[in-house]
Coordinates of all heavy atoms in Angstrom, one line a residue:
D1 N -18.3 -2.5 0.4 CA -19.4 -2.1 1.2 C -19.2 -2.5 2.7 O -20.2 -2.9 3.4 CB -20.8 -2.6 0.7 CG -21.1 -2.1 -0.7 OD1 -20.9 -0.8 -0.9 OD2 -21.4 -2.8 -1.6
N2 N -18.0 -2.4 3.1 CA -17.6 -2.7 4.5 C -17.9 -4.1 5.0 O -18.1 -4.4 6.2 CB -18.2 -1.7 5.5 CG -17.8 -0.2 5.2 OD1 -16.8 0.0 4.5 ND2 -18.6 0.7 5.6
Q3 N -18.0 -5.0 4.0 CA -18.3 -6.4 4.4 C -17.0 -7.3 4.6 O -17.1 -8.4 4.9 CB -19.2 -7.1 3.3 CG -20.5 -6.4 3.1 CD -21.4 -6.4 4.3 OE1 -21.6 -7.5 4.8 NE2 -21.8 -5.3 4.8
H4 N -15.9 -6.7 4.3 CA -14.6 -7.5 4.4 C -13.6 -6.7 5.2 O -12.9 -5.9 4.7 CB -14.1 -7.7 3.0 CG -13.1 -8.8 2.9 ND1 -11.8 -8.7 3.2 CD2 -13.3 -10.1 2.4 CE1 -11.2 -9.9 3.0 NE2 -12.1 -10.7 2.5
E5 N -13.7 -6.9 6.6 CA -12.9 -6.1 7.5 C -11.4 -6.2 7.2 O -10.9 -7.3 6.9 CB -13.1 -6.4 8.9 CG -12.5 -5.5 9.9 CD -12.9 -5.7 11.3 OE1 -12.9 -6.9 11.8 OE2 -13.3 -4.7 12.0
G6 N -10.7 -5.1 7.2 CA -9.2 -5.1 6.9 C -9.0 -4.7 5.5 O -7.9 -4.1 5.1
Y7 N -10.0 -4.9 4.6 CA -9.8 -4.5 3.2 C -9.7 -3.0 3.0 O -9.0 -2.5 2.1 CB -11.0 -5.1 2.4 CG -11.0 -4.6 0.9 CD1 -9.9 -4.9 0.1 CD2 -12.0 -3.9 0.4 CE1 -9.9 -4.5 -1.2 CE2 -12.0 -3.5 -0.9 CZ -11.0 -3.8 -1.7 OH -11.0 -3.3 -3.0
S8 N -10.5 -2.2 3.8 CA -10.5 -0.8 3.7 C -9.0 -0.3 3.8 O -8.6 0.6 3.0 CB -11.3 -0.1 4.8 OG -12.7 -0.4 4.6
T9 N -8.3 -0.8 4.8 CA -6.9 -0.3 4.9 C -6.0 -0.7 3.7 O -5.3 0.2 3.2 CB -6.3 -0.8 6.2 OG1 -7.0 -0.3 7.3 CG2 -4.8 -0.4 6.3
L10 N -6.2 -1.9 3.2 CA -5.4 -2.3 2.0 C -5.8 -1.4 0.8 O -4.9 -1.0 0.0 CB -5.7 -3.7 1.7 CG -5.1 -4.8 2.6 CD1 -5.4 -6.2 2.1 CD2 -3.6 -4.6 2.7
E11 N -7.1 -1.2 0.6 CA -7.6 -0.4 -0.5 C -7.1 1.0 -0.5 O -6.6 1.6 -1.4 CB -9.1 -0.5 -0.6 CG -9.7 0.2 -1.8 CD -10.1 1.6 -1.5 OE1 -10.3 2.0 -0.3 OE2 -10.1 2.4 -2.5
R12 N -7.1 1.6 0.7 CA -6.6 3.0 0.9 C -5.1 3.1 0.7 O -4.6 4.0 0.1 CB -7.1 3.5 2.2 CG -8.6 3.7 2.3 CD -9.1 4.1 3.7 NE -10.6 4.1 3.6 CZ -11.3 4.4 4.7 NH1 -10.8 4.7 5.9 NH2 -12.7 4.4 4.6
M13 N -4.4 2.1 1.2 CA -3.0 2.1 1.0 C -2.6 2.0 -0.4 O -1.6 2.5 -0.9 CB -2.3 1.0 1.8 CG -2.3 1.2 3.4 SD -1.6 2.7 3.9 CE 0.1 2.5 3.3
D14 N -3.4 1.3 -1.2 CA -3.2 1.1 -2.6 C -3.2 2.5 -3.3 O -2.5 2.6 -4.4 CB -4.2 0.1 -3.2 CG -3.8 -0.3 -4.7 OD1 -2.7 -0.9 -4.8 OD2 -4.6 0.1 -5.6
G15 N -4.0 3.4 -2.8 CA -4.1 4.7 -3.4 C -2.9 5.7 -3.0 O -2.8 6.8 -3.5
A16 N -2.1 5.2 -2.0 CA -1.0 6.1 -1.6 C 0.2 5.8 -2.6 O 1.2 5.1 -2.2 CB -0.6 5.7 -0.2
N17 N 0.1 6.4 -3.7 CA 1.1 6.0 -4.8 C 2.5 6.4 -4.5 O 3.4 5.6 -4.7 CB 0.6 6.7 -6.1 CG -0.7 6.3 -6.6 OD1 -1.0 5.1 -6.5 ND2 -1.5 7.2 -7.1
N18 N 2.7 7.6 -3.9 CA 4.1 8.0 -3.6 C 4.7 7.1 -2.5 O 5.9 6.7 -2.6 CB 4.1 9.4 -3.1 CG 3.7 10.4 -4.2 OD1 4.1 10.2 -5.4 ND2 2.9 11.4 -3.9
Y19 N 3.9 6.8 -1.5 CA 4.4 5.9 -0.4 C 4.8 4.5 -1.0 O 5.8 3.9 -0.6 CB 3.3 5.8 0.6 CG 3.7 4.8 1.8 CD1 4.6 5.2 2.7 CD2 3.0 3.6 1.9 CE1 5.0 4.3 3.7 CE2 3.3 2.7 2.9 CZ 4.3 3.1 3.8 OH 4.6 2.2 4.8
N20 N 3.9 4.0 -1.9 CA 4.2 2.7 -2.4 C 5.4 2.6 -3.3 O 6.1 1.7 -3.4 CB 2.9 2.2 -3.2 CG 1.7 2.0 -2.3 OD1 1.9 1.6 -1.1 ND2 0.5 2.2 -2.8
V21 N 5.6 3.7 -4.1 CA 6.8 3.8 -4.9 C 8.0 3.8 -4.0 O 9.1 3.2 -4.3 CB 6.8 5.1 -5.8 CG1 8.1 5.3 -6.4 CG2 5.7 4.9 -6.9
W22 N 7.9 4.5 -2.9 CA 9.0 4.6 -1.9 C 9.4 3.1 -1.4 O 10.5 2.7 -1.4 CB 8.6 5.5 -0.8 CG 9.5 5.6 0.4 CD1 10.8 5.2 0.5 CD2 9.2 6.1 1.7 NE1 11.4 5.5 1.7 CE2 10.4 6.0 2.5 CE3 8.0 6.6 2.3 CZ2 10.4 6.5 3.8 CZ3 8.1 7.0 3.6 CH2 9.2 6.9 4.4
L23 N 8.3 2.4 -1.0 CA 8.6 1.0 -0.5 C 9.1 0.2 -1.7 O 10.0 -0.6 -1.5 CB 7.3 0.4 0.0 CG 6.7 1.0 1.2 CD1 5.5 0.2 1.7 CD2 7.7 1.1 2.4
G24 N 8.5 0.3 -2.9 CA 9.0 -0.5 -4.0 C 10.4 -0.3 -4.3 O 11.1 -1.3 -4.6
R25 N 10.9 0.9 -4.2 CA 12.3 1.2 -4.5 C 13.2 0.5 -3.4 O 14.3 0.0 -3.8 CB 12.6 2.7 -4.5 CG 12.1 3.4 -5.7 CD 12.3 4.8 -5.7 NE 11.8 5.5 -6.9 CZ 11.5 6.8 -7.0 NH1 11.7 7.6 -5.9 NH2 11.1 7.3 -8.1
R26 N 12.8 0.4 -2.2 CA 13.6 -0.3 -1.2 C 13.7 -1.7 -1.5 O 14.8 -2.3 -1.4 CB 12.9 -0.1 0.2 CG 12.9 1.3 0.8 CD 14.3 1.9 0.9 NE 15.2 1.2 1.7 CZ 15.3 1.3 3.0 NH1 14.6 2.2 3.7 NH2 16.2 0.6 3.7
F27 N 12.6 -2.3 -2.0 CA 12.7 -3.8 -2.3 C 13.5 -4.0 -3.6 O 14.3 -4.9 -3.7 CB 11.3 -4.3 -2.5 CG 10.5 -4.5 -1.2 CD1 9.4 -3.8 -0.9 CD2 11.0 -5.5 -0.3 CE1 8.7 -4.1 0.2 CE2 10.3 -5.7 0.9 CZ 9.1 -5.0 1.2
Q28 N 13.3 -3.1 -4.6 CA 13.9 -3.3 -5.9 C 15.5 -3.3 -5.8 O 16.2 -3.9 -6.6 CB 13.5 -2.2 -6.8 CG 12.1 -2.4 -7.3 CD 11.5 -1.1 -8.0 OE1 12.2 -0.1 -8.1 NE2 10.3 -1.2 -8.5
E29 N 16.0 -2.6 -4.8 CA 17.5 -2.5 -4.6 C 18.1 -3.9 -4.4 O 19.3 -4.1 -4.6 CB 17.8 -1.6 -3.5 CG 17.5 -0.1 -3.7 CD 17.7 0.7 -2.5 OE1 18.1 0.2 -1.4 OE2 17.4 1.9 -2.5
H30 N 17.2 -4.8 -3.9 CA 17.8 -6.1 -3.4 C 17.1 -7.3 -4.2 O 17.4 -8.4 -3.8 CB 17.5 -6.2 -1.9 CG 18.1 -5.1 -1.1 ND1 19.4 -4.9 -0.8 CD2 17.4 -4.0 -0.6 CE1 19.5 -3.8 -0.1 NE2 18.4 -3.2 0.0

C-alpha cells in the first residue's frame, strides 16, 4: 500500500520473468 518506498520497483521487477531468467543465466555461468 505504498508504505515502503523502493519496494514497488523490486516487486515489479520480480514479475519480469524473462528479464530475471536472463540475469540468472549470466550469474549461473560463473
Side-chain angles (χ1 to χ4, degrees):
D1 296 313
N2 299 339
Q3 298 299 305
H4 200 281
E5 189 172 48
Y7 173 61
S8 289
T9 296
L10 288 181
E11 184 268 332
R12 291 173 186 178
M13 290 303 299
D14 191 62
N17 297 322
N18 294 322
Y19 176 72
N20 295 326
V21 168
W22 177 16
L23 295 185
R25 285 176 179 164
R26 293 302 302 271
F27 285 117
Q28 287 166 357
E29 292 173 4
H30 308 281

